[in-house]
Structure formats: structure tokens, C-alpha cells
Amino acid sequence: DIPQRLGFACVQSGKDEEAASFFKRALDLEPENPTEAPVRRAQVYNQLGLLLTRQKQFSEAIARFSDAIAWAV
């Protein structure tokens, strides 16, 4: 939860690269089991998608949004 919060703080400060790094770390720390933390994983993937969209990396952003949807359902 802490890396995700740090990622959000970096987003608000305009530090996209640092935010992406924190979000990826948050994913590394979350369990893969979808019954344990699907909402958090979906939020992190969504935030990564938003960052990638802002950086005009649209193909990668679509992939992260797809990941978010997969974890949210």
C-alpha cells in the first residue's frame, strides 16, 4: 500500500517516471491471487495506464487498462 501511495504523490507532483516506478513496485508486492487484492491491483494498473497515456505510449496504456479491467471483474 505504501508504494501505491508514494506513486499517487509523485503523480500529483508531476514526477511520472518516479510514479511509474512506485506503481510497478506496488504490483510486485501485491499477491497474484485475485481473491486477495484485486481492487488494489486494478487501481495500480489503471494509474499506470493513465501515466502511459500522458506520455503518449498508447499501446502500452491500452495493455495496462486491459489489466485493470481484468482485475476489476
Side-chain angles (χ1 to χ4, degrees), residues 14-61:
K15 299 176 181 177
D16 290 355
E17 294 302 318
E18 288 180 56
S21 178
F22 280 119
F23 289 135
K24 289 175 184 174
R25 180 72 177 136
L27 290 171
D28 289 341
L29 295 174
E30 285 294 333
E32 287 289 327
N33 185 338
T35 61
E36 292 184 25
V39 172
R40 281 196 302 256
R41 288 186 78 82
Q43 289 171 340
V44 173
Y45 279 123
N46 185 64
Q47 198 62 41
L48 280 169
L50 293 171
L51 283 173
L52 291 163
T53 299
R54 194 156 72 183
Q55 296 171 344
K56 300 188 185 333
Q57 297 179 32
F58 301 116
S59 295
E60 190 66 24

